Amino acid sequence: MATYEYNGLMTVKDAAGNKYLLYPITKAECVDGLEEALAAKAAATHHHAAGDINSGIFDSARIPNLDASKVASGTMAAARLPTIAVNKGGSGKTSWTANRLIYPSASTTLAQLAFPSVAGSVLRQGTSGAPYWTSLPDLVAALGDAGGVRIATGSYTGTGTYGANNPCSLTFPFVPKLVVLSNASTYSTDTSGLLVMVAGSNMALSLDESNQSTTSRISLTWGTDSVSWHTTSAARQMNTSSRNYHYVAFG
């Protein structure tokens, strides 16, 4: 084995011609060919034990795909998590508008329903298409169209008039089928009674508290959404002046 001194440094060369440094140096260029050798080593692919890697940052392009079972612990920074598409089990969104309902607007798209224009609206949906809001009055109308029972209540104050030229009338937000009027009074000296009007009939049934029987013939006229009636006295017509009357209608 031959010994050489190069730039003041002691080296040794074996039979194969390999040089070995006998004294440490700090500058790579002080050793002939060392810079090229190190560059070749850096470019080469090699393996390290996991225990040898305890600091630094990997180039993400050099990280291989791992089976999910290999990720057994640790916490990943939220900023490094991707937005997951709907067809992969995600939402496809990075944020939502608060308090608005979420629904699938397409097979791979999630959307949010706009707020209703009327407070207290209810959610509805047809046999297809997106869900939508309906106000309570519109819902009541829809229930009526679907054959549901609709009810209206109210009251009026009598004017004292009566007869064919001065009929009483009531109008409703639906087609009335049955209307019941009451002149129940808080005064013990007054007579209470009921007036029952059934759609399809041109006569009403008037019940008097004193005898619980029909006391007069009351003529009826039915409109699309109304009913009018008249008879031979204000009391029997349920129109005594300044007296309050209450009604309930079914449609």
Side-chain angles (χ1 to χ4, degrees), residues 18-34:
N18 298 312
K19 289 183 179 182
Y20 296 88
L21 184 65
L22 298 182
Y23 189 82
I25 62 173
T26 58
K27 294 184 178 179
E29 61 268 22
C30 292
V31 179
D32 183 25
L34 183 58

Side-chain angles (χ1 to χ4, degrees), residues 1-249:
M1 179 182 296
T3 301
Y4 299 89
E5 182 175 341
Y6 182 73
N7 288 337
L9 299 175
M10 187 66 69
T11 63
V12 64
K13 185 176 182 180
D14 63 9
N18 298 312
K19 289 183 179 182
Y20 296 88
L21 184 65
L22 298 182
Y23 189 82
I25 62 173
T26 58
K27 294 184 178 179
E29 61 268 22
C30 292
V31 179
D32 183 25
L34 183 58
E35 184 176 4
E36 292 78 3
L38 291 177
K41 286 293 184 182
T45 301
H46 49 279
H47 299 274
H48 292 280
D52 294 335
I53 305 173
N54 51 35
S55 64
I57 299 175
F58 275 117
D59 180 355
S60 59
R62 298 180 65 87
I63 300 176
N65 293 327
L66 297 177
D67 185 87
S69 62
K70 300 296 184 181
V71 184
S73 64
T75 301
M76 183 176 290
R80 299 184 66 87
L81 293 173
T83 300
I84 302 175
V86 174
N87 62 351
K88 298 298 183 182
S91 66
K93 299 286 187 179
T94 58
S95 64
W96 298 100
T97 301
N99 302 320
R100 283 173 50 185
L101 298 180
I102 300 170
Y103 71 98
S105 58
S107 60
T108 58
T109 304
L110 293 179
Q112 287 190 276
L113 191 64
F115 287 114
S117 58
V118 178
S121 295
V122 296
L123 192 62
R124 297 178 62 194
Q125 188 173 25
T127 57
S128 63
Y132 59 92
W133 298 107
T134 296
S135 66
L136 290 180
D138 289 344
L139 178 62
V140 170
L143 290 175
D145 294 340
V149 176
R150 302 171 67 181
I151 301 174
T153 61
S155 63
Y156 66 90
T157 301
T159 63
T161 60
Y162 61 92
N165 294 326
N166 298 286
C168 295
S169 66
L170 292 172
T171 301
F172 311 99
F174 50 82
V175 179
K177 300 297 184 182
L178 174 66
V179 180
V180 180
L181 286 174
S182 169
N183 68 344
S185 174
T186 57
Y187 299 101
S188 59
T189 56
D190 288 341
T191 300
S192 298
L194 290 175
L195 181 62
V196 181
M197 297 176 281
V198 180
S201 172
N202 60 1
M203 300 297 293
L205 175 64
S206 177
L207 301 178
D208 187 291
E209 185 183 48
S210 61
N211 55 25
Q212 299 292 309
S213 62
T214 301
T215 58
S216 64
R217 294 174 61 85
I218 300 178
S219 299
L220 301 178
T221 301
W222 293 92
T224 302
D225 58 356
S226 63
V227 63
S228 61
W229 65 96
H230 65 84
T231 189
T232 56
S233 73
R236 292 176 178 176
Q237 192 169 306
M238 296 283 197
N239 200 33
T240 299
S241 179
S242 300
R243 185 160 186 178
N244 292 325
Y245 297 87
H246 299 270
Y247 64 85
V248 58

